[in-house]
Amino acid sequence: MAPSTEVFVLVIFLCGLPFFHAMLRDPALRGRRLFFLAYVLLTVSNVATVLEEWWAHDAFDTCEHLAIMLGAAAMLGAVVQLTAGPPRPARARPVDPA
Amino acid sequence: MHDDLIVSFNLVALAAFVAAAVVAARRRHRADIGGSAFVPLVGSLLLYAFIVSSNVVEHADITASFDPLEDIAEVVFTFMFLFFVNNWRKDRSEARFRALFVSAPLALAEVAPDGRVLEVNQILTEQLRQLFGMAVADVPTMAAWLAVAYPDPAYRAEVEAAWAERVREAFASGRPIAAEERDVTCADGTLRRFLVGGNPIGENVLVSFVDVTDRLRSQAETARLQEQLLQAQKLEAIGVLAGGVAHDFNNMLGAIIGFTELTMDELEVSHPVRPNLVEILTAAQKSATLTRQLLTFARKQKGTPTTVGVDRAVGDLLGMLRRMIGENIELAWQPGAEGGTVRMDPTQFDQIVANLCVNARDAISDVGRITVATSLTSIDATSAAVIGDAAPGEYVLISVTDTGCGMDKATKAHIFEPFFTTKAPGQGTGLGLATVYGIVKQADGRIAVYSEPGVGTTFNVFLPRHLGEVGLVSPTAPAEVPRGRGERVLVVEDDPLVARMCATMLERLGYTYVVATSPREALRLIDVDGAHLDLLLTDVIMPEMNGRELRARIAQVCPQIKHVFMSGYTADILAGDEAHADHFLRKPFAIRELGVKLRQVLDAA
Ligand SMILES: Nc1ncnc2c1ncn2[C@@H]1O[C@H](COP(=O)(O)OP(=O)(O)O)[C@@H](O)[C@H]1O
Ligand SMILES: [Mg+2]
């Protein structure tokens, strides 16, 4: 694996963090904490990917994939929370263009 | 070993991502997210599912490598996931706006920059239907709405220009559009007051309409009732004040009249001082009339209620009224209360009609017309509030209308106050309407005034209709002054002047007397001298004890004693007790009145 592309991916992930953090402020977004946690875990996996190239390869590799697994679990939890609510109300009737 | 672990991690992750995608797809309708958020969510989940599958492949020693693809996939995932979150939040605020738009208790419409009406909420739809008889489709543009709501082109142009200006300001400043009150014309031609405001959203404008007509109306109603209450309270307060002053005044006038009479009696008819005394007497008697009017206003004057047939009583007055108002003014009489009777003092009834007619005459400068009309009416709960909270029931209405100068609002606010007059000094006393007010109030009636400056005035007097039998007219007094036969009278009067005058009068009339200047002293005298007393002549309002209580106490000791109350008030202590009318002497009284009353009481069985 070329380390340069992995560093690039990590940078992209890190750049996304503040955007995801912003969603934490809206309490009406259901499952937002788990979505954020999932994203953080995926970012962590990318950090491990970069580090494993230099030392403790196996340990960091394990770490990387463990983080991905936990991130996937968090993602599942988030989606379950997001879709846990009752069906949402009908929309306002738009103007009949006819 | 290491690879096995990694593979199993990734297999679990794969299962979780796929499961998440499936859950999202199947329960999509439960989440507050639209397509724009949903697609990137599922997309990013599947993308990561692909990434972990590639990890599985890699670590399972399968030769194929997805390495470059995997990195690209990770980057795409980041963006896609970001998309999802972003759109999700947008959907969320959109949903919130929708909920508000639909359920806000406020009429709302979203209007595009070109004036197209994009959406109208439920309340506005409802109002359009109710007030304008229109469907939403009938107002596709703002211009169509303006044409309906503001039929007057000039006003419409003004509204339109002002609105455009405020919208421009709002967009420039980023603040809400300042609300403005507008009179909107409804389908039935009535005007309703709307508060029209709004908010820029994006490039569109959210217009809000609040119908404030009812609120304004009820505010006006509250203000009117409050004013009415204040007015009544003011008159009440003035009444108490005037009543108090008039009471003392009355006592003093009584003394003046009494002593003057006594002095005159002692002088020969040709005595040079006599004409002066006659002047004093007339002046004092005039003053007594004034104070009596004040007491009437303060409702301290009881009068003797009998049953008055309204049409007949007014009819009997006509001759006098015609003479009073003169020849230039036509007097029209429209009787319409046949069989209508009221229970009150007939003199007071005449006073009402006469005072109103005199005022009507004064209001007409040259020629004109006064109409006196009567009718039978009933007041129900709704109309009661209009006529100064009258109790609902049957009433006789006497209305006096003139074609005179009328009154403005400011004058109307004061006319019932004693001494309020707009007439030149010497011409008006300002007591006419105050007296009328007092009499009407005492009779549990109501009075209402309608007046238009330059057009005329109507006074409507509502008197409770009496539904009982017709009363008897009281017999007239004999011409001779009846004299005493040496009976012994106990005079109780806290005013020494009045007490002294009574004593002198009693002596003159041939009675003997003892005077007490307080109820306590009276009780002491009774203990000593009780057996020899024939009659108690007592004031009613005194410190310590009122006359009525005193009489009750004395009656316990010597039950044979008779009594006469004297008072300027016929205040509440005596009110409602018909039996006491026979034992009552109104202050100030002349010696003859005292003589008649004493004889009448003493000779009664
Ligand atoms: N019919 C009427 N038309 C116009 N003004 C009236 C009428 N009746 C009463 N007023 C006004 O009410 C005032 C008070 O009336 P009133 O109490 O009778 O006193 P007075 O007649 O002695 O002035 C009058 O001075 C006059 O301004
Ligand atoms: Mg008058």
Side-chain angles (χ1 to χ4, degrees):
Chain A
M1 263 193 255
S4 58
T5 58
E6 290 178 344
V7 171
F8 175 67
V9 169
L10 175 59
V11 168
I12 298 275
F13 261 90
L14 289 174
C15 287
L17 260 181
F19 291 98
F20 290 109
H21 190 255
M23 81 175 165
L24 282 174
R25 263 186 269 136
D26 187 348
L29 300 175
R30 287 192 304 246
R32 69 194 200 286
R33 285 177 213 283
L34 282 177
F35 272 121
F36 183 68
L37 179 64
Y39 187 80
V40 168
L41 285 166
L42 295 181
T43 310
V44 166
S45 84
N46 277 291
V47 173
T49 310
V50 171
L51 292 180
E52 74 183 15
E53 295 300 322
W54 279 287
W55 65 90
H57 177 277
D58 278 10
F60 277 115
D61 199 30
T62 310
C63 204
E64 175 200 334
H65 294 279
L66 184 63
I68 291 176
M69 185 183 72
L70 293 177
M75 203 66 100
L76 178 59
V79 171
V80 168
Q81 274 187 12
L82 170 67
T83 58
R88 83 195 122 112
R91 291 179 163 224
R93 190 159 43 88
V95 179
D96 186 2
Chain B
M1 169 64 214
H2 172 74
D3 281 344
D4 286 353
L5 187 64
I6 301 293
V7 167
S8 50
F9 279 171
N10 281 291
L11 282 175
V12 172
L14 176 63
F17 278 121
V18 172
V22 170
V23 168
R26 299 200 49 164
R27 310 210 305 192
R28 190 196 146 177
H29 61 283
R30 302 244 211 126
D32 276 335
I33 54 175
S36 63
F38 176 73
V39 172
L41 171 64
V42 175
S44 45
L45 291 173
L46 293 178
L47 208 52
Y48 229 97
F50 162 73
I51 292 166
V52 291
S53 348
S54 107
N55 285 344
V56 171
V57 169
E58 196 180 301
H59 286 271
D61 257 347
I62 299 171
T63 38
S65 169
F66 295 97
D67 251 10
L69 251 182
E70 195 188 314
D71 285 346
I72 294 168
E74 286 212 48
V75 173
V76 174
F77 164 82
T78 322
F79 283 105
M80 211 182 258
F81 200 52
L82 207 60
F83 249 148
F84 151 64
V85 170
N86 182 49
N87 291 349
W88 181 27
R89 289 172 62 194
K90 257 195 2 219
D91 281 356
R92 191 37 232 177
S93 61
E94 168 79 356
R96 223 183 271 178
F97 168 73
R98 283 280 133 228
L100 225 112
F101 186 81
V102 173
S103 63
L106 191 70
L108 294 169
E110 190 176 349
V111 180
D114 60 3
R116 267 178 313 122
V117 177
L118 300 176
E119 200 168 343
V120 167
N121 78 346
Q122 252 158 13
I123 297 236
L124 186 51
T125 309
E126 191 81 342
Q127 283 189 353
L128 276 174
R129 196 172 53 71
Q130 280 180 356
L131 300 178
F132 303 94
M134 290 191 305
V136 173
D138 297 335
V139 275
T141 62
M142 202 66 178
W145 159 249
L146 290 171
V148 171
Y150 310 102
D152 174 13
Y155 187 53
R156 190 193 317 150
E158 181 202 320
V159 170
E160 210 171 348
W163 174 252
E165 172 62 22
R166 283 180 297 134
V167 169
R168 213 184 42 71
E169 265 172 30
F171 273 106
S173 66
R175 276 198 292 259
I177 300 167
E180 222 171 47
E181 287 191 3
R182 288 298 179 194
D183 288 323
V184 171
T185 309
C186 301
D188 60 0
T190 55
L191 284 183
R192 290 190 82 81
R193 179 66 64 87
F194 276 82
L195 195 62
V196 186
N199 237 319
I201 40 169
E203 57 175 4
N204 298 340
V205 171
L206 183 69
V207 191
S208 65
F209 303 88
V210 187
D211 187 346
V212 292
T213 318
D214 295 333
R215 196 172 68 200
L216 289 178
R217 211 172 276 159
S218 76
Q219 271 171 3
E221 177 71 0
T222 313
R224 202 181 59 75
L225 287 178
Q226 219 150 35
E227 196 178 317
Q228 225 170 48
L229 183 68
L230 267 180
Q231 183 74 1
Q233 281 173 343
K234 187 170 69 182
L235 289 175
E236 198 63 48
I238 296 175
V240 171
L241 197 73
V245 173
H247 171 65
D248 287 346
F249 222 79
N250 218 19
N251 272 344
M252 294 185 257
L253 281 172
I256 294 174
I257 293 172
F259 280 114
T260 312
E261 277 184 341
L262 291 175
T263 316
M264 275 166 70
D265 277 0
E266 279 172 22
L267 298 179
E268 284 150 37
V269 186
S270 57
H271 197 283
V273 177
R274 234 189 122 84
N276 295 355
L277 290 176
V278 172
E279 287 301 318
I280 293 177
L281 201 60
T282 358
Q285 263 150 2
K286 266 189 199 154
S287 309
T289 317
L290 268 180
T291 37
R292 201 160 304 149
Q293 274 176 310
L294 262 183
L295 285 171
T296 308
F297 166 69
R299 275 171 278 149
K300 296 267 156 74
Q301 200 72 20
K302 191 179 175 196
T304 323
T306 56
T307 304
V308 179
V310 171
D311 280 1
R312 192 148 148 227
V314 178
D316 289 348
L317 271 178
L318 283 181
M320 193 267 282
L321 293 176
R322 282 226 166 81
R323 254 173 284 125
M324 201 170 65
I325 59 184
E327 279 167 6
N328 288 337
I329 299 168
E330 186 190 340
L331 177 68
W333 163 225
Q334 299 171 349
E338 201 184 327
T341 55
V342 294
R343 178 118 186 116
M344 65 191 299
D345 187 319
T347 345
Q348 292 192 336
F349 180 87
D350 293 352
Q351 243 176 316
I352 295 178
V353 181
N355 274 324
L356 294 179
C357 286
V358 168
N359 282 347
R361 176 200 65 192
D362 293 347
I364 299 172
S365 56
D366 194 8
V367 287
R369 180 190 173 91
I370 300 174
T371 310
V372 182
T374 57
S375 58
L376 298 175
T377 135
S378 51
I379 292 180
D380 59 22
T382 27
S383 52
V386 181
I387 315 160
D389 67 274
E394 297 293 312
Y395 285 81
V396 180
L397 167 64
I398 302 130
S399 78
V400 177
T401 305
D402 65 66
T403 57
C405 59
M407 287 172 269
D408 55 19
K409 257 190 105 167
T411 308
K412 223 163 72 180
H414 296 289
I415 51 175
F416 295 116
E417 290 167 21
F419 305 115
F420 174 83
T421 179
T422 56
K423 293 165 194 170
Q427 280 184 20
T429 57
L431 282 175
L433 288 178
T435 311
V436 171
Y437 183 86
I439 295 172
V440 172
K441 265 278 146 100
Q442 190 170 20
D444 283 328
R446 288 293 180 274
I447 185 162
V449 193
Y450 304 95
S451 190
E452 194 72 49
V455 178
T457 306
T458 296
F459 280 89
N460 282 338
V461 176
F462 296 83
L463 294 170
R465 191 171 168 192
H466 176 65
L467 301 164
E469 75 302 345
V470 177
L472 295 167
V473 183
S474 44
T476 44
E480 278 286 309
V481 181
R483 294 188 49 83
R485 297 168 206 131
E487 289 99 334
R488 199 161 172 76
V489 178
L490 169 59
V491 181
V492 188
E493 166 65 66
D494 60 321
D495 187 325
L497 194 63
V498 178
R500 202 140 27 92
M501 187 197 73
C502 287
T504 323
M505 282 182 172
L506 287 171
E507 195 176 327
R508 189 68 56 82
L509 286 169
Y511 293 92
T512 58
Y513 60 87
V514 256
V515 175
T517 51
S518 74
R520 196 168 306 157
E521 196 184 335
L523 289 172
R524 219 172 27 242
L525 282 171
I526 285 286
D527 280 343
V528 181
D529 203 17
H532 305 292
L533 290 170
D534 299 299
L535 187 132
L536 167 71
L537 176 62
T538 175
D539 191 15
V540 176
I541 312 287
M542 289 177 292
E544 296 169 19
M545 193 184 301
N546 71 44
R548 200 168 179 173
E549 283 175 57
L550 177 66
R551 192 225 138 202
R553 294 273 292 269
I554 289 178
Q556 287 169 3
V557 187
C558 17
Q560 90 288 354
I561 201 165
K562 297 188 166 151
H563 66 279
V564 170
F565 294 122
M566 51 183 177
S567 177
Y569 289 106
T570 24
D572 311 348
I573 324 170
L574 289 177
D577 197 339
E578 299 284 312
H580 281 281
D582 295 339
H583 296 263
F584 184 76
L585 194 58
R586 188 171 65 192
K587 281 190 203 169
F589 47 81
I591 188 164
R592 150 183 197 87
E593 289 169 280
L594 177 64
V596 171
K597 182 60 79 178
L598 289 185
R599 212 50 278 156
Q600 186 188 319
V601 170
L602 284 168
D603 290 348

